[in-house]
Amino acid sequence: MRAINFWLLRPDGQPRMECRMAASVHLAPEQLAEFDELYSISDLHMGGRTGFQIFNSGDALAAFIEHVRTLPAASVALVINGDLVDFLAEPDAVAFDPAGAVRKLDRIVGDAAFAPGWTALTKFVRTKGRHLAITLGNHDLELALPWVRDHLTELLTGADERARARLTLAFDGTGFLCRIGNARVLCVHGNEVDTWNIADHETIRRYGRDVQQGRPVETWVPNAGTQLVVDVMNSIKQKFPFVDLLKPELEGVIPTLVAIAPEQRSRIFAALPAAFHLGLDKVRRSVGLLGADEQEEGGPEQLTPLRTLPTTPRISREQLLDAVELQLAEGVEPISLVPLDQRGQYLGIGGAITSFVFGSDVRESLRKGLDGLQKDRSFDFKQTDDTFQQFDKQVGADVDFLLTGHTHLERALKRNQSGGWYFNSGTWARLIRLEADVLASADKFSQVYDVFAAGSMAALDTFPGLILKRRTVVAIRSTPAGTKGELMHWDDAAGLVAMPNANFTKPAG
């Protein structure tokens, strides 16, 4: 038995939470689609005009899909686990575009950079014993609207009814659940636990219903991540496309932008409310909520006092967030909530802001400010992260293999809360990681700095060793020993290549 909370309205109109007990419900094996093998990829992000496309693996994608299509296994599922397309990367991007989504989808499908992959997908779904499943990401929300979903189905299957039966569009937030051998496999994009990028599936459903039934539609309120992309980052990416590729974002992208593009200072700082959500503990002292005796003395840029709150070390994150967001709503520039000499320390932006303000050697200050990236483990596939931790807590133990994407960082981890395993399929888009030898050398870093400042994808691509193309695949396969899950990479010459020490097996029997 487990508790289920219901929010009801009292007679005075205020919400009341009721707790009832409900029995756990489990789907029987015969209720699940079953396959011999499953291959999951995610975060293709097909979208954007030439020169600003972060996905440039069209031919490789087509080759991979053809490889999976021609495998000897009798039944194979291919999962595109979210962000198949990227409507937010289109030149006329808006937060939510019900009227223009079909047009944008047609443009993406017809783009020469993406067409090979689409051709391969249509061939795949028309092949007996091959099943295509697509989950919804946070950059392609419009795919869940009925007319866009129908158009996507038509593009992939045409008039082939058998092909339609081999296509699953899991756009309602429940994910794609199936059985491989003796294991249950659940595929979800990953933004479901990302506060800034949660998809409001119920609002999308109502929006589609209201349009189709001729009702007035409610105003669409985008999540914070989408608003950030459309209002702030898209204009910056036109000149500095590296912001889509460099990981980690807060510790790497923001300080680099501040140093390279000081004229974008106001736009960059406008994006920093995200820092309060991503690292609230880091700013607690800087906004004066750990006791009056710990606040900074007044300076050239005095910290704007927050409204009265308990000055106790035990103040909750919710109270802090409320206070900060109140300041933001009143027009206080986000960065002004942090004293000048603490901005690098608390917002993870190293010496970049300091060097900009005081006019020191920007390149060297930035290199030193990014020194912490030498210890960063974001690219370690065994490193736990928040996405893993949240899903590990929320997804039941009857799921043997849990597959996500969204973060663009591959993972292969044993779950803590159950006997199952977790995989993140990373991305097929470009990635940039500033390696330790670059950060350690002023000369090497200066060369990379110039490439970033050049402001073109071509400059990034041609600089030796800067762009990573991991093309991660999660493979779940039934074997005589049990069901095996592993991280793999697609290589143009070698095909699917297994990563060492990135596999788990649920034993047979």
Side-chain angles (χ1 to χ4, degrees), residues 91 163 340 365:
L340 277 174
S365 294

Side-chain angles (χ1 to χ4, degrees), residues 64 67 488-498:
F64 162 71
H67 171 82
M488 310 186 81
H489 289 155
W490 176 259
D491 181 84
D492 290 332
L496 278 176
V497 179

Side-chain angles (χ1 to χ4, degrees), residues 467-479:
I467 295 291
L468 298 178
K469 291 184 179 179
R470 289 196 160 175
R471 298 170 183 167
T472 306
V473 179
V474 177
I476 312 291
R477 293 175 282 197
S478 178
T479 73

Side-chain angles (χ1 to χ4, degrees), residues 41 43-47 53-67 80 84 108-121 427-430 469 471 490 492:
I41 61 178
D43 298 273
L44 303 181
H45 288 277
M46 288 190 274
Q53 298 163 344
I54 68 173
F55 175 83
N56 68 336
S57 297
D59 291 335
L61 176 62
F64 162 71
I65 295 171
E66 180 64 11
H67 171 82
I80 313 293
L84 164 63
I108 291 170
V109 172
D111 191 299
F114 312 133
W118 287 96
T119 301
L121 285 175
T427 183
W428 278 52
R430 296 171 173 93
K469 291 184 179 179
R471 298 170 183 167
W490 176 259
D492 290 332

Side-chain angles (χ1 to χ4, degrees), residues 303-330:
L303 175 67
T304 303
L306 296 176
R307 295 187 183 275
T308 302
L309 283 172
T311 54
T312 165
R314 296 187 178 276
I315 186 168
S316 71
R317 287 172 177 240
E318 289 74 17
Q319 287 175 300
L320 172 60
L321 189 56
D322 288 345
V324 171
E325 290 189 341
L326 180 60
Q327 293 289 304
L328 298 177
E330 293 179 349

